[in-house]
Amino acid sequence: GKEVLLLMKALNTLSTPEEKLAALCKKYADLLEESRNVQKQMKILQKKQAQVVKEKVHLQSEHGKAILARSKLESLCRELQRHNKTLKEDNMRQAREYEEKRKEGTAHFQITLNEIQAQLEQHDMHNAKLRQENIELGEKLKKLIEQYALREEHIDKVFKHKELQQQLVDAKLQQTTHLIKEAEEKHQREREFLLKEATESRHKCEQMKQQEAQLKQQLSLYMDKFEEFQTTMAKSNELFTTFRQEMEKMTKKIKKLEKETIVWRTKWENNNKALLQMAEEKTVRDKEYKGFQIKLERLEKLCRALQTERNELNEKVE
């Protein structure tokens, strides 16, 4: 009401109806330009929202990769326990065979008894070293699994917290979408653009699924290779050292994955903050847009009133 009164006072200062009409047209053009700027800012905010949704999908895919790495570690631990059990059985069997040979050879080969005992002692020392190394490796794997489980629980808690924050943001976005229902017809082209982005994200998701299937195939190949390695473990100690090197590589990969999860976690938090700021800016812009619409309606009414007044004045002049 105050703006209308100020506008009426400003129009009363003008002398002719043509000047009044020109001032009103200028005011109308300014308000129209302001409304167009608000619509442009609204489009930019919607693009930012689509980018944040893409980041969320990417983080979920990284979380799936971390779960796959954990399953690999668990399978390796199970295979190691199985291998330790087979080593113990082989050692017991070899000990029984040596004991039987020693009993049979005491009657016929009394001279070579000392040599056989020396070989048995060397073999027992070698087996004791292997058992000690297997026990140490098992303890290291248990510690790694426990650390990985704790980190996985922490990551799950963080993801749950982020999902709650996302739900809160979604609720706020629903409120904002309720306020801009009247402008949905003007933004049809933007919706088509968002649909294209959604189809692209689905296509990327399908590609990630294909990559997951390929990784599963590679995992099966690695399991087959590990079984072959298990069969040759009793024959050669060099293969055991290669297995230890592979375990060290796996620990390096785990550390690398942990660093990547920390980086993606920080990105996720920054994106959520940006999304909240965009939602607040959007609500402010919507309120300004509604104010501009009300001003435009009032100016149109004034224009119509002045037009009728001008027509009456023209009739009186004629």
Side-chain angles (χ1 to χ4, degrees):
K2 291 181 180 179
E3 292 178 355
V4 174
L5 290 173
L6 292 172
L7 185 63
M8 291 296 292
K9 287 180 181 180
L11 291 173
N12 288 326
T13 58
L14 299 174
S15 61
T16 61
E18 287 80 3
E19 292 178 352
K20 292 179 181 180
L21 184 60
L24 283 173
C25 291
K26 185 179 180 183
K27 186 69 175 178
Y28 181 77
D30 292 334
L31 291 173
L32 186 61
E33 185 66 25
E34 288 179 359
S35 65
R36 288 176 180 172
N37 291 325
V38 170
Q39 288 178 359
K40 289 179 181 179
Q41 290 177 358
M42 192 181 296
K43 290 179 181 179
I44 292 167
L45 289 172
Q46 288 179 353
K47 289 180 180 179
K48 289 181 179 179
Q49 181 182 358
Q51 188 176 3
V52 169
V53 172
K54 288 181 181 179
E55 292 289 333
K56 181 182 176 183
V57 173
H58 186 66
L59 284 172
Q60 289 177 352
S61 65
E62 292 294 330
H63 181 62
K65 290 180 181 179
I67 291 169
L68 183 62
R70 185 182 67 182
S71 63
K72 288 180 180 179
L73 278 175
E74 288 176 353
S75 63
L76 287 172
C77 289
R78 287 194 293 271
E79 294 295 331
L80 184 62
Q81 289 176 356
R82 195 180 300 167
H83 175 66
N84 288 329
K85 187 177 179 181
T86 54
L87 279 175
K88 287 179 182 178
E89 290 177 355
D90 289 334
N91 289 328
M92 292 296 292
R93 183 175 55 80
Q94 288 177 1
R96 286 195 297 269
E97 289 177 356
Y98 282 124
E99 186 66 25
E100 290 176 358
K101 289 179 181 179
R102 189 178 64 81
K103 287 180 181 180
E104 291 176 357
T106 51
H108 301 285
F109 304 102
Q110 189 65 33
I111 298 169
T112 59
L113 182 61
N114 294 324
E115 295 178 357
I116 293 170
Q117 286 178 354
Q119 289 178 359
L120 284 170
E121 288 176 357
Q122 290 178 0
H123 189 70
D124 288 333
M125 289 173 68
H126 182 67
N127 289 330
K129 287 181 181 178
L130 286 175
R131 281 196 296 270
Q132 187 65 29
E133 288 177 356
N134 288 328
I135 290 166
E136 290 176 356
L137 187 60
E139 289 177 355
K140 287 181 181 178
L141 282 172
K142 285 180 181 178
K143 289 179 181 178
L144 285 173
I145 290 165
E146 289 174 357
Q147 290 177 0
Y148 191 80
L150 291 173
R151 287 170 184 163
E152 190 66 25
E153 288 177 1
H154 180 67
I155 290 168
D156 290 331
K157 288 179 182 178
V158 171
F159 271 104
K160 286 179 181 178
H161 181 66
K162 296 303 177 186
E163 286 177 358
L164 291 173
Q165 288 181 352
Q166 185 66 32
Q167 290 176 2
L168 180 62
V169 173
D170 291 333
K172 290 182 180 178
L173 286 174
Q174 287 178 1
Q175 291 178 358
T176 56
T177 52
H178 181 72
L179 294 173
I180 59 169
K181 280 184 180 179
E182 295 177 355
E184 284 182 354
E185 293 179 357
K186 294 179 181 180
H187 302 151
Q188 188 67 32
R189 294 179 181 177
E190 295 176 358
R191 288 181 182 176
E192 291 176 357
F193 179 76
L194 289 172
L195 288 172
K196 288 180 181 179
E197 292 290 332
T199 53
E200 290 178 358
S201 63
R202 288 175 184 169
H203 183 65
K204 289 180 180 178
C205 184
E206 290 177 356
Q207 289 180 356
M208 293 297 289
K209 287 181 179 178
Q210 291 178 359
Q211 289 179 0
E212 184 179 0
Q214 291 177 359
L215 288 172
K216 286 180 179 178
Q217 290 178 359
Q218 290 180 358
L219 181 61
S220 63
L221 291 172
Y222 289 150
M223 291 297 291
D224 294 333
K225 290 180 180 179
F226 186 75
E227 289 177 358
E228 292 176 0
F229 174 77
Q230 236 181 3
T231 55
T232 57
M233 185 69 185
K235 296 178 182 178
S236 176
N237 291 323
E238 293 178 357
L239 293 175
F240 186 77
T241 56
T242 56
F243 174 72
R244 187 182 297 168
Q245 289 175 359
E246 287 180 359
M247 289 300 296
E248 290 177 355
K249 289 180 182 178
M250 289 298 292
T251 53
K252 290 180 181 178
K253 287 182 181 178
I254 290 166
K255 289 180 181 178
K256 187 177 179 181
L257 286 171
E258 289 175 356
K259 290 180 181 178
E260 289 179 355
T261 51
I262 291 167
V263 172
W264 286 113
R265 193 184 303 156
T266 54
K267 286 184 180 179
W268 179 262
E269 291 175 355
N270 293 326
N271 288 326
N272 282 327
K273 290 179 182 178
L275 187 61
L276 290 172
Q277 290 177 358
M278 284 191 288
E280 291 176 357
E281 290 177 358
K282 195 173 184 182
T283 55
V284 173
R285 296 298 180 187
D286 290 334
K287 289 180 182 178
E288 291 178 356
Y289 182 70
K290 284 187 176 181
F292 289 143
Q293 284 184 345
I294 292 167
K295 289 180 182 178
L296 286 171
E297 289 177 357
R298 289 176 181 174
L299 285 171
E300 286 176 356
K301 288 180 181 179
L302 285 173
C303 287
R304 286 195 293 271
L306 289 171
Q307 189 70 33
T308 54
E309 186 178 356
R310 183 187 175 189
N311 293 325
E312 289 176 356
L313 290 170
N314 287 325
E315 288 176 359
K316 286 179 182 181
V317 169
E318 288 176 358

